[in-house]
Amino acid sequence: MSSTESPGRTSDKSPRPQVDRLLVGLRWRRLEEPLGFIKVLQWLFAIFAFGSCGSYSGETGAMVRCNKEAKDVSSIIVSFGYPFRLHRVQYEMPLCDEDSTSKTMHLMGDFSAPAEFFVTLGIFSFFYTMAALVLYLRFHNLYTENKRFPLVDFCVTVSFTFFWLVAAAAWGKGLTDVKGATRPSSLTAAMSVCHGEDAVCSAGATPSMGLANISVLFGFINFFLWAGNCWFVFKETPWHGQGQDQGQGPSQESAAEQGAVEKQ
C-alpha cells in the first residue's frame, strides 16, 4: 500500500526553507548606514551609466539635389551607435553623372576605445557593488572581524574612483568627437558630389545626443559616489583605528602625568 503525502506538508527537497534562511540572515538595516546606502547608489548609477551609453543609437543625414531640380533630390540617412566605430558605417552617396548612380562611403573616425572602456567599467562596478552588498548584508560579521576584507574593499574603491574619473573624461572627449564627425555639415563636407557644380547639398537630420550626454553625466556622478565612499570604507580599515589610537595615546599619557603632578 503506497503512502501519499498530505497536501499541507512541504517536501524536504524544496528550496523554500533555504531561501527563507537566506532572507532572514540579511541585515536590511545596514542599508540605512552610509556604507550600505552609497553602495546601493553605486549599483544603480552603474546601470544607468553603461545602459545609457551602450544602448545609444542616432541618425544623421543630408540631402543632395542634382541639376538643381527638385525631382532629383536624394535623401541620405546614416544610422550609427555604440560602440561608435564610425569608419565601418556605410552609406550611399548619389552621383549626378550618367555613368553611375551612387558610391559607397563611410563615416570618419573610430571612437570605440573610450566608449567600450566606459561601458566595461560600468559593468564591473555593477558586479562588484552587488557582491559587496551581499557581503555587507549577509556576512557583515565576517567583514568586520576579518580585517583583510575592509582593506581590499578600500583599495578597490580607490581604484574604481580613479577609473571612473578617467572613463568619464575620456568618454566626454570621445563624445565631442562623435558629435563633430556625425554633424550633417561634416557629412556634406566629406561627399565629393557636394563640391561640384552639378549638385546642391543641404543638411538633413541632426542626431539627437541627449542619451549620450546623460551617460557622461552618470559617469561623473559615479566618480563622486566612489570618491565619497572612500572615507566610509577607510573607517572600516585597521588604518583608521591605528590613527585614533595614536591620537589618543599621547593625550592619555599627558593626562596621567598631569594627575601625578597634582598629587605631588
Side-chain angles (χ1 to χ4, degrees), residues 203-232:
T206 302
S208 176
M209 294 291 183
L211 188 62
N213 292 330
I214 291 176
S215 68
V216 177
L217 177 62
F218 285 145
F220 282 105
I221 291 176
N222 275 282
F223 162 70
F224 287 115
L225 284 175
W226 286 89
N229 197 34
C230 288
W231 166 248
F232 297 104

PDB file of all heavy atoms in Angstrom, residues 203-232:
ATOM      1  N   ALA A 203      21.836  70.295 -45.339  1.00  0.00           N
ATOM      2  CA  ALA A 203      21.865  69.466 -44.129  1.00  0.00           C
ATOM      3  C   ALA A 203      20.551  68.722 -43.956  1.00  0.00           C
ATOM      4  O   ALA A 203      19.473  69.225 -44.291  1.00  0.00           O
ATOM      5  CB  ALA A 203      22.139  70.330 -42.905  1.00  0.00           C
ATOM      6  N   GLY A 204      20.663  67.520 -43.441  1.00  0.00           N
ATOM      7  CA  GLY A 204      19.490  66.703 -43.184  1.00  0.00           C
ATOM      8  C   GLY A 204      19.210  66.576 -41.701  1.00  0.00           C
ATOM      9  O   GLY A 204      19.314  67.554 -40.950  1.00  0.00           O
ATOM     10  N   ALA A 205      18.898  65.358 -41.273  1.00  0.00           N
ATOM     11  CA  ALA A 205      18.548  65.115 -39.880  1.00  0.00           C
ATOM     12  C   ALA A 205      19.766  65.289 -38.979  1.00  0.00           C
ATOM     13  O   ALA A 205      20.848  64.767 -39.259  1.00  0.00           O
ATOM     14  CB  ALA A 205      17.977  63.710 -39.717  1.00  0.00           C
ATOM     15  N   THR A 206      19.595  66.032 -37.913  1.00  0.00           N
ATOM     16  CA  THR A 206      20.656  66.229 -36.926  1.00  0.00           C
ATOM     17  C   THR A 206      20.517  65.182 -35.822  1.00  0.00           C
ATOM     18  O   THR A 206      19.429  65.027 -35.264  1.00  0.00           O
ATOM     19  CB  THR A 206      20.591  67.629 -36.316  1.00  0.00           C
ATOM     20  OG1 THR A 206      20.705  68.605 -37.358  1.00  0.00           O
ATOM     21  CG2 THR A 206      21.696  67.838 -35.305  1.00  0.00           C
ATOM     22  N   PRO A 207      21.569  64.436 -35.500  1.00  0.00           N
ATOM     23  CA  PRO A 207      21.439  63.389 -34.478  1.00  0.00           C
ATOM     24  C   PRO A 207      21.144  63.959 -33.100  1.00  0.00           C
ATOM     25  O   PRO A 207      21.689  64.992 -32.703  1.00  0.00           O
ATOM     26  CB  PRO A 207      22.801  62.685 -34.517  1.00  0.00           C
ATOM     27  CG  PRO A 207      23.736  63.684 -35.108  1.00  0.00           C
ATOM     28  CD  PRO A 207      22.930  64.504 -36.057  1.00  0.00           C
ATOM     29  N   SER A 208      20.295  63.287 -32.378  1.00  0.00           N
ATOM     30  CA  SER A 208      19.974  63.673 -31.005  1.00  0.00           C
ATOM     31  C   SER A 208      20.959  62.986 -30.053  1.00  0.00           C
ATOM     32  O   SER A 208      21.056  61.754 -30.036  1.00  0.00           O
ATOM     33  CB  SER A 208      18.534  63.261 -30.664  1.00  0.00           C
ATOM     34  OG  SER A 208      18.249  63.543 -29.307  1.00  0.00           O
ATOM     35  N   MET A 209      21.673  63.766 -29.277  1.00  0.00           N
ATOM     36  CA  MET A 209      22.715  63.261 -28.387  1.00  0.00           C
ATOM     37  C   MET A 209      22.316  63.317 -26.917  1.00  0.00           C
ATOM     38  O   MET A 209      23.190  63.278 -26.049  1.00  0.00           O
ATOM     39  CB  MET A 209      24.014  64.055 -28.603  1.00  0.00           C
ATOM     40  CG  MET A 209      24.639  63.855 -29.963  1.00  0.00           C
ATOM     41  SD  MET A 209      25.303  62.187 -30.129  1.00  0.00           S
ATOM     42  CE  MET A 209      26.051  62.295 -31.763  1.00  0.00           C
ATOM     43  N   GLY A 210      21.033  63.424 -26.646  1.00  0.00           N
ATOM     44  CA  GLY A 210      20.601  63.561 -25.252  1.00  0.00           C
ATOM     45  C   GLY A 210      21.003  62.374 -24.394  1.00  0.00           C
ATOM     46  O   GLY A 210      21.544  62.543 -23.295  1.00  0.00           O
ATOM     47  N   LEU A 211      20.757  61.148 -24.873  1.00  0.00           N
ATOM     48  CA  LEU A 211      21.093  59.961 -24.083  1.00  0.00           C
ATOM     49  C   LEU A 211      22.594  59.827 -23.889  1.00  0.00           C
ATOM     50  O   LEU A 211      23.058  59.433 -22.816  1.00  0.00           O
ATOM     51  CB  LEU A 211      20.524  58.719 -24.769  1.00  0.00           C
ATOM     52  CG  LEU A 211      20.606  57.404 -23.979  1.00  0.00           C
ATOM     53  CD1 LEU A 211      19.818  57.499 -22.690  1.00  0.00           C
ATOM     54  CD2 LEU A 211      20.096  56.244 -24.832  1.00  0.00           C
ATOM     55  N   ALA A 212      23.366  60.163 -24.912  1.00  0.00           N
ATOM     56  CA  ALA A 212      24.825  60.099 -24.786  1.00  0.00           C
ATOM     57  C   ALA A 212      25.341  61.144 -23.803  1.00  0.00           C
ATOM     58  O   ALA A 212      26.271  60.876 -23.023  1.00  0.00           O
ATOM     59  CB  ALA A 212      25.476  60.289 -26.158  1.00  0.00           C
ATOM     60  N   ASN A 213      24.755  62.331 -23.809  1.00  0.00           N
ATOM     61  CA  ASN A 213      25.159  63.351 -22.838  1.00  0.00           C
ATOM     62  C   ASN A 213      24.848  62.914 -21.413  1.00  0.00           C
ATOM     63  O   ASN A 213      25.632  63.161 -20.490  1.00  0.00           O
ATOM     64  CB  ASN A 213      24.442  64.668 -23.143  1.00  0.00           C
ATOM     65  CG  ASN A 213      24.908  65.300 -24.452  1.00  0.00           C
ATOM     66  OD1 ASN A 213      26.051  65.116 -24.852  1.00  0.00           O
ATOM     67  ND2 ASN A 213      24.011  66.001 -25.118  1.00  0.00           N
ATOM     68  N   ILE A 214      23.712  62.257 -21.234  1.00  0.00           N
ATOM     69  CA  ILE A 214      23.347  61.766 -19.899  1.00  0.00           C
ATOM     70  C   ILE A 214      24.336  60.710 -19.428  1.00  0.00           C
ATOM     71  O   ILE A 214      24.664  60.629 -18.239  1.00  0.00           O
ATOM     72  CB  ILE A 214      21.908  61.232 -19.920  1.00  0.00           C
ATOM     73  CG1 ILE A 214      20.920  62.385 -20.111  1.00  0.00           C
ATOM     74  CG2 ILE A 214      21.579  60.478 -18.637  1.00  0.00           C
ATOM     75  CD1 ILE A 214      19.478  61.933 -20.235  1.00  0.00           C
ATOM     76  N   SER A 215      24.822  59.887 -20.356  1.00  0.00           N
ATOM     77  CA  SER A 215      25.790  58.851 -19.957  1.00  0.00           C
ATOM     78  C   SER A 215      27.061  59.473 -19.401  1.00  0.00           C
ATOM     79  O   SER A 215      27.645  58.960 -18.436  1.00  0.00           O
ATOM     80  CB  SER A 215      26.110  57.956 -21.156  1.00  0.00           C
ATOM     81  OG  SER A 215      26.823  58.662 -22.154  1.00  0.00           O
ATOM     82  N   VAL A 216      27.526  60.578 -19.987  1.00  0.00           N
ATOM     83  CA  VAL A 216      28.710  61.274 -19.446  1.00  0.00           C
ATOM     84  C   VAL A 216      28.411  61.826 -18.057  1.00  0.00           C
ATOM     85  O   VAL A 216      29.243  61.738 -17.139  1.00  0.00           O
ATOM     86  CB  VAL A 216      29.148  62.400 -20.400  1.00  0.00           C
ATOM     87  CG1 VAL A 216      30.326  63.172 -19.807  1.00  0.00           C
ATOM     88  CG2 VAL A 216      29.525  61.838 -21.758  1.00  0.00           C
ATOM     89  N   LEU A 217      27.204  62.370 -17.886  1.00  0.00           N
ATOM     90  CA  LEU A 217      26.817  62.877 -16.572  1.00  0.00           C
ATOM     91  C   LEU A 217      26.800  61.762 -15.535  1.00  0.00           C
ATOM     92  O   LEU A 217      27.291  61.927 -14.406  1.00  0.00           O
ATOM     93  CB  LEU A 217      25.441  63.535 -16.661  1.00  0.00           C
ATOM     94  CG  LEU A 217      24.843  64.057 -15.348  1.00  0.00           C
ATOM     95  CD1 LEU A 217      25.725  65.141 -14.747  1.00  0.00           C
ATOM     96  CD2 LEU A 217      23.424  64.573 -15.577  1.00  0.00           C
ATOM     97  N   PHE A 218      26.261  60.607 -15.903  1.00  0.00           N
ATOM     98  CA  PHE A 218      26.257  59.470 -14.987  1.00  0.00           C
ATOM     99  C   PHE A 218      27.677  59.015 -14.665  1.00  0.00           C
ATOM    100  O   PHE A 218      27.955  58.542 -13.556  1.00  0.00           O
ATOM    101  CB  PHE A 218      25.471  58.305 -15.591  1.00  0.00           C
ATOM    102  CG  PHE A 218      23.985  58.494 -15.546  1.00  0.00           C
ATOM    103  CD1 PHE A 218      23.175  58.016 -16.571  1.00  0.00           C
ATOM    104  CD2 PHE A 218      23.388  59.142 -14.479  1.00  0.00           C
ATOM    105  CE1 PHE A 218      21.804  58.185 -16.526  1.00  0.00           C
ATOM    106  CE2 PHE A 218      22.019  59.321 -14.432  1.00  0.00           C
ATOM    107  CZ  PHE A 218      21.221  58.840 -15.458  1.00  0.00           C
ATOM    108  N   GLY A 219      28.590  59.160 -15.620  1.00  0.00           N
ATOM    109  CA  GLY A 219      29.977  58.793 -15.351  1.00  0.00           C
ATOM    110  C   GLY A 219      30.597  59.643 -14.258  1.00  0.00           C
ATOM    111  O   GLY A 219      31.259  59.125 -13.349  1.00  0.00           O
ATOM    112  N   PHE A 220      30.369  60.949 -14.305  1.00  0.00           N
ATOM    113  CA  PHE A 220      30.918  61.825 -13.264  1.00  0.00           C
ATOM    114  C   PHE A 220      30.175  61.635 -11.938  1.00  0.00           C
ATOM    115  O   PHE A 220      30.788  61.782 -10.868  1.00  0.00           O
ATOM    116  CB  PHE A 220      30.845  63.276 -13.721  1.00  0.00           C
ATOM    117  CG  PHE A 220      31.916  63.655 -14.694  1.00  0.00           C
ATOM    118  CD1 PHE A 220      31.621  63.810 -16.050  1.00  0.00           C
ATOM    119  CD2 PHE A 220      33.223  63.842 -14.283  1.00  0.00           C
ATOM    120  CE1 PHE A 220      32.614  64.149 -16.957  1.00  0.00           C
ATOM    121  CE2 PHE A 220      34.222  64.184 -15.177  1.00  0.00           C
ATOM    122  CZ  PHE A 220      33.914  64.338 -16.523  1.00  0.00           C
ATOM    123  N   ILE A 221      28.890  61.319 -11.982  1.00  0.00           N
ATOM    124  CA  ILE A 221      28.173  61.014 -10.735  1.00  0.00           C
ATOM    125  C   ILE A 221      28.770  59.782 -10.081  1.00  0.00           C
ATOM    126  O   ILE A 221      28.953  59.735  -8.846  1.00  0.00           O
ATOM    127  CB  ILE A 221      26.675  60.834 -11.016  1.00  0.00           C
ATOM    128  CG1 ILE A 221      26.031  62.167 -11.404  1.00  0.00           C
ATOM    129  CG2 ILE A 221      25.965  60.253  -9.792  1.00  0.00           C
ATOM    130  CD1 ILE A 221      24.569  62.050 -11.778  1.00  0.00           C
ATOM    131  N   ASN A 222      29.091  58.762 -10.877  1.00  0.00           N
ATOM    132  CA  ASN A 222      29.739  57.574 -10.319  1.00  0.00           C
ATOM    133  C   ASN A 222      31.085  57.919  -9.713  1.00  0.00           C
ATOM    134  O   ASN A 222      31.458  57.375  -8.657  1.00  0.00           O
ATOM    135  CB  ASN A 222      29.916  56.523 -11.423  1.00  0.00           C
ATOM    136  CG  ASN A 222      28.691  55.667 -11.629  1.00  0.00           C
ATOM    137  OD1 ASN A 222      28.417  54.747 -10.863  1.00  0.00           O
ATOM    138  ND2 ASN A 222      27.929  55.977 -12.666  1.00  0.00           N
ATOM    139  N   PHE A 223      31.829  58.808 -10.350  1.00  0.00           N
ATOM    140  CA  PHE A 223      33.119  59.222  -9.770  1.00  0.00           C
ATOM    141  C   PHE A 223      32.927  59.845  -8.397  1.00  0.00           C
ATOM    142  O   PHE A 223      33.640  59.500  -7.441  1.00  0.00           O
ATOM    143  CB  PHE A 223      33.807  60.201 -10.711  1.00  0.00           C
ATOM    144  CG  PHE A 223      34.899  60.996 -10.046  1.00  0.00           C
ATOM    145  CD1 PHE A 223      36.083  60.395  -9.662  1.00  0.00           C
ATOM    146  CD2 PHE A 223      34.722  62.350  -9.790  1.00  0.00           C
ATOM    147  CE1 PHE A 223      37.077  61.140  -9.029  1.00  0.00           C
ATOM    148  CE2 PHE A 223      35.711  63.093  -9.177  1.00  0.00           C
ATOM    149  CZ  PHE A 223      36.896  62.488  -8.791  1.00  0.00           C
ATOM    150  N   PHE A 224      31.968  60.750  -8.257  1.00  0.00           N
ATOM    151  CA  PHE A 224      31.746  61.405  -6.967  1.00  0.00           C
ATOM    152  C   PHE A 224      31.236  60.412  -5.919  1.00  0.00           C
ATOM    153  O   PHE A 224      31.574  60.517  -4.732  1.00  0.00           O
ATOM    154  CB  PHE A 224      30.775  62.565  -7.135  1.00  0.00           C
ATOM    155  CG  PHE A 224      31.360  63.757  -7.826  1.00  0.00           C
ATOM    156  CD1 PHE A 224      30.879  64.163  -9.059  1.00  0.00           C
ATOM    157  CD2 PHE A 224      32.412  64.463  -7.263  1.00  0.00           C
ATOM    158  CE1 PHE A 224      31.425  65.255  -9.714  1.00  0.00           C
ATOM    159  CE2 PHE A 224      32.975  65.555  -7.905  1.00  0.00           C
ATOM    160  CZ  PHE A 224      32.470  65.950  -9.141  1.00  0.00           C
ATOM    161  N   LEU A 225      30.419  59.456  -6.337  1.00  0.00           N
ATOM    162  CA  LEU A 225      29.932  58.451  -5.384  1.00  0.00           C
ATOM    163  C   LEU A 225      31.076  57.597  -4.859  1.00  0.00           C
ATOM    164  O   LEU A 225      31.178  57.345  -3.645  1.00  0.00           O
ATOM    165  CB  LEU A 225      28.877  57.568  -6.053  1.00  0.00           C
ATOM    166  CG  LEU A 225      27.487  58.170  -6.249  1.00  0.00           C
ATOM    167  CD1 LEU A 225      26.605  57.213  -7.046  1.00  0.00           C
ATOM    168  CD2 LEU A 225      26.835  58.482  -4.909  1.00  0.00           C
ATOM    169  N   TRP A 226      31.936  57.127  -5.764  1.00  0.00           N
ATOM    170  CA  TRP A 226      33.057  56.297  -5.321  1.00  0.00           C
ATOM    171  C   TRP A 226      34.065  57.105  -4.522  1.00  0.00           C
ATOM    172  O   TRP A 226      34.659  56.586  -3.561  1.00  0.00           O
ATOM    173  CB  TRP A 226      33.727  55.651  -6.533  1.00  0.00           C
ATOM    174  CG  TRP A 226      32.929  54.539  -7.121  1.00  0.00           C
ATOM    175  CD1 TRP A 226      31.979  54.622  -8.092  1.00  0.00           C
ATOM    176  CD2 TRP A 226      33.002  53.156  -6.765  1.00  0.00           C
ATOM    177  NE1 TRP A 226      31.457  53.387  -8.363  1.00  0.00           N
ATOM    178  CE2 TRP A 226      32.068  52.456  -7.567  1.00  0.00           C
ATOM    179  CE3 TRP A 226      33.766  52.433  -5.866  1.00  0.00           C
ATOM    180  CZ2 TRP A 226      31.881  51.088  -7.486  1.00  0.00           C
ATOM    181  CZ3 TRP A 226      33.581  51.057  -5.773  1.00  0.00           C
ATOM    182  CH2 TRP A 226      32.654  50.404  -6.569  1.00  0.00           C
ATOM    183  N   ALA A 227      34.275  58.368  -4.886  1.00  0.00           N
ATOM    184  CA  ALA A 227      35.204  59.209  -4.118  1.00  0.00           C
ATOM    185  C   ALA A 227      34.676  59.466  -2.715  1.00  0.00           C
ATOM    186  O   ALA A 227      35.426  59.423  -1.731  1.00  0.00           O
ATOM    187  CB  ALA A 227      35.436  60.528  -4.855  1.00  0.00           C
ATOM    188  N   GLY A 228      33.364  59.723  -2.593  1.00  0.00           N
ATOM    189  CA  GLY A 228      32.788  59.931  -1.273  1.00  0.00           C
ATOM    190  C   GLY A 228      32.776  58.676  -0.427  1.00  0.00           C
ATOM    191  O   GLY A 228      32.891  58.741   0.806  1.00  0.00           O
ATOM    192  N   ASN A 229      32.659  57.523  -1.088  1.00  0.00           N
ATOM    193  CA  ASN A 229      32.621  56.270  -0.341  1.00  0.00           C
ATOM    194  C   ASN A 229      33.992  55.864   0.189  1.00  0.00           C
ATOM    195  O   ASN A 229      34.088  54.999   1.074  1.00  0.00           O
ATOM    196  CB  ASN A 229      32.071  55.156  -1.237  1.00  0.00           C
ATOM    197  CG  ASN A 229      31.627  53.950  -0.448  1.00  0.00           C
ATOM    198  OD1 ASN A 229      31.139  54.059   0.667  1.00  0.00           O
ATOM    199  ND2 ASN A 229      31.781  52.776  -1.030  1.00  0.00           N
ATOM    200  N   CYS A 230      35.061  56.475  -0.340  1.00  0.00           N
ATOM    201  CA  CYS A 230      36.406  56.126   0.140  1.00  0.00           C
ATOM    202  C   CYS A 230      36.545  56.377   1.640  1.00  0.00           C
ATOM    203  O   CYS A 230      37.178  55.585   2.358  1.00  0.00           O
ATOM    204  CB  CYS A 230      37.455  56.929  -0.625  1.00  0.00           C
ATOM    205  SG  CYS A 230      37.705  56.422  -2.335  1.00  0.00           S
ATOM    206  N   TRP A 231      35.951  57.460   2.132  1.00  0.00           N
ATOM    207  CA  TRP A 231      36.081  57.783   3.544  1.00  0.00           C
ATOM    208  C   TRP A 231      35.355  56.767   4.417  1.00  0.00           C
ATOM    209  O   TRP A 231      35.890  56.311   5.434  1.00  0.00           O
ATOM    210  CB  TRP A 231      35.553  59.183   3.817  1.00  0.00           C
ATOM    211  CG  TRP A 231      35.342  59.466   5.279  1.00  0.00           C
ATOM    212  CD1 TRP A 231      34.172  59.655   5.928  1.00  0.00           C
ATOM    213  CD2 TRP A 231      36.371  59.549   6.282  1.00  0.00           C
ATOM    214  NE1 TRP A 231      34.381  59.871   7.268  1.00  0.00           N
ATOM    215  CE2 TRP A 231      35.729  59.812   7.515  1.00  0.00           C
ATOM    216  CE3 TRP A 231      37.757  59.444   6.249  1.00  0.00           C
ATOM    217  CZ2 TRP A 231      36.432  59.961   8.695  1.00  0.00           C
ATOM    218  CZ3 TRP A 231      38.457  59.597   7.432  1.00  0.00           C
ATOM    219  CH2 TRP A 231      37.798  59.855   8.642  1.00  0.00           C
ATOM    220  N   PHE A 232      34.155  56.371   4.027  1.00  0.00           N
ATOM    221  CA  PHE A 232      33.388  55.428   4.840  1.00  0.00           C
ATOM    222  C   PHE A 232      34.003  54.033   4.823  1.00  0.00           C
ATOM    223  O   PHE A 232      33.947  53.320   5.823  1.00  0.00           O
ATOM    224  CB  PHE A 232      31.945  55.378   4.340  1.00  0.00           C
ATOM    225  CG  PHE A 232      31.219  56.680   4.474  1.00  0.00           C
ATOM    226  CD1 PHE A 232      30.992  57.487   3.366  1.00  0.00           C
ATOM    227  CD2 PHE A 232      30.764  57.118   5.708  1.00  0.00           C
ATOM    228  CE1 PHE A 232      30.332  58.698   3.484  1.00  0.00           C
ATOM    229  CE2 PHE A 232      30.100  58.326   5.841  1.00  0.00           C
ATOM    230  CZ  PHE A 232      29.894  59.115   4.725  1.00  0.00           C
TER     231      PHE A 232
END
